[in-house]
Amino acid sequence: MNVRGLNNILLGLSNYHPIVIEGMGYYDPRAPLDVAKQIQSQLNQHFEKRTPIEKPKLIITQGDPLSKRGISAITPLVANLLGVRRGLVTLDLDPQHSLNADRQNVILEVSYSQMANILESSIAKGTTIKLEQEIDRQIVYKNKQRKEAQKAPLKGYFRDYALLQEVTKAACRQICGDLTVAHTAHDISPFSVTSFYTVGLGLGFVEEHQIVPYGAIDELDFEKIDTR
């Protein structure tokens, strides 16, 4: 994509208020519509309490292939319930990621590298490296915990997808001036990609008040449902 084309996409994104939804993948055992309705309710309450948002809202997805359950099943339902469209960020570090991405109701698409470049050019050089270093630090800590529990280390792809998650949010906030983050569960597995949300939070790229909690407690046994 040429510079003009990229600038047009980023200008288009800046006209929206991004909503990033984070949660479990295909192994989520819950009915997607039930989860989507809970997220819709929480988002509506959040938007009623905060300063009014003048921009139209846009659900930002991160290329999860469509499945019957989990985040890729939930986000289209939330978009439909809210009556909004979707944007897509693909992980160009993995060519298969873009090929398998669900593009239903997607009106805007950008790559991880393009979002990372935004952070480097608009905040400061080395911004992405800060995210990488903190993700690496957390991976070391998580793998230490897993070793003590006699579990295998986290799969290598966790690093790439944690980066995609955190770069997406930081860049969206930088481009749009604000964002909203919603989680699909009250309890978050410490060994999930979602758990890396504390990286952007700790570095100040996302603020606590921008995160919308799930607001309901489901009985989720991560030892059984996530065998990775």
Side-chain angles (χ1 to χ4, degrees):
M1 180 181 295
N2 59 36
V3 173
R4 179 177 295 180
L6 175 59
N7 287 340
N8 287 339
I9 289 176
L10 298 178
L11 180 62
L13 179 57
S14 70
N15 292 322
Y16 290 91
H17 177 87
I19 302 173
V20 180
I21 302 175
E22 301 173 340
M24 292 175 280
Y26 63 89
Y27 56 90
D28 187 341
R30 301 167 300 166
L33 184 57
D34 292 344
V35 178
K37 287 180 177 178
Q38 176 65 21
I39 294 170
Q40 177 205 20
S41 174
Q42 289 294 101
L43 285 171
N44 285 339
Q45 291 179 51
H46 171 76
F47 293 136
E48 287 173 3
K49 294 176 182 177
R50 60 154 287 162
T51 305
I53 297 170
E54 302 297 333
K55 297 178 179 181
K57 301 174 182 71
L58 188 71
I59 300 282
I60 303 297
T61 62
Q62 295 163 48
D64 297 87
L66 192 59
S67 63
K68 293 182 179 180
R69 296 184 184 274
I71 190 71
S72 69
I74 293 165
T75 50
L77 293 172
V78 176
N80 290 340
L81 290 168
L82 292 175
V84 303
R85 307 296 293 276
R86 299 198 296 160
L88 171 65
V89 184
T90 59
L91 183 65
D92 46 347
L93 304 176
D94 176 7
Q96 292 300 313
H97 185 260
S98 177
L99 291 175
N100 296 327
D102 173 33
R103 288 177 170 82
Q104 178 187 356
N105 196 25
V106 169
I107 60 170
L108 185 151
E109 181 173 337
V110 66
S111 72
Y112 163 84
S113 294
Q114 290 164 343
M115 296 296 252
N117 286 338
I118 289 295
L119 294 183
E120 294 296 302
S121 61
S122 63
I123 298 181
K125 282 195 172 182
T127 299
T128 307
I129 292 176
K130 286 183 180 179
L131 286 168
E132 291 176 350
Q133 290 174 337
E134 180 58 21
I135 287 170
D136 288 340
R137 188 192 69 78
Q138 288 205 17
I139 288 173
V140 170
Y141 176 71
K142 290 174 188 292
N143 281 338
K144 181 181 178 182
Q145 289 182 306
R146 290 179 68 86
K147 184 176 182 180
E148 290 173 354
Q150 297 184 327
K151 294 181 178 180
L154 293 174
K155 301 259 193 292
Y157 61 77
F158 270 68
R159 184 180 191 272
D160 288 344
Y161 286 96
L163 271 171
L164 174 64
Q165 174 179 281
E166 296 311 300
V167 166
T168 293
K169 289 182 294 187
C172 279
R173 185 184 182 189
Q174 186 66 18
I175 294 165
C176 305
D178 196 4
L179 87 161
T180 298
V181 179
H183 288 154
T184 66
H186 177 272
D187 296 320
I188 297 172
S189 167
F191 304 126
S192 64
V193 171
T194 303
S195 71
F196 288 90
Y197 82 93
T198 56
V199 171
L201 189 62
L203 292 174
F205 295 122
V206 177
E207 301 292 335
E208 191 75 50
H209 67 85
Q210 295 171 320
I211 300 177
V212 179
Y214 184 63
I217 299 177
D218 296 322
E219 292 187 8
L220 296 168
D221 187 342
F222 296 116
E223 292 288 333
K224 292 182 179 179
I225 64 177
D226 186 4
T227 57
R228 293 174 297 174

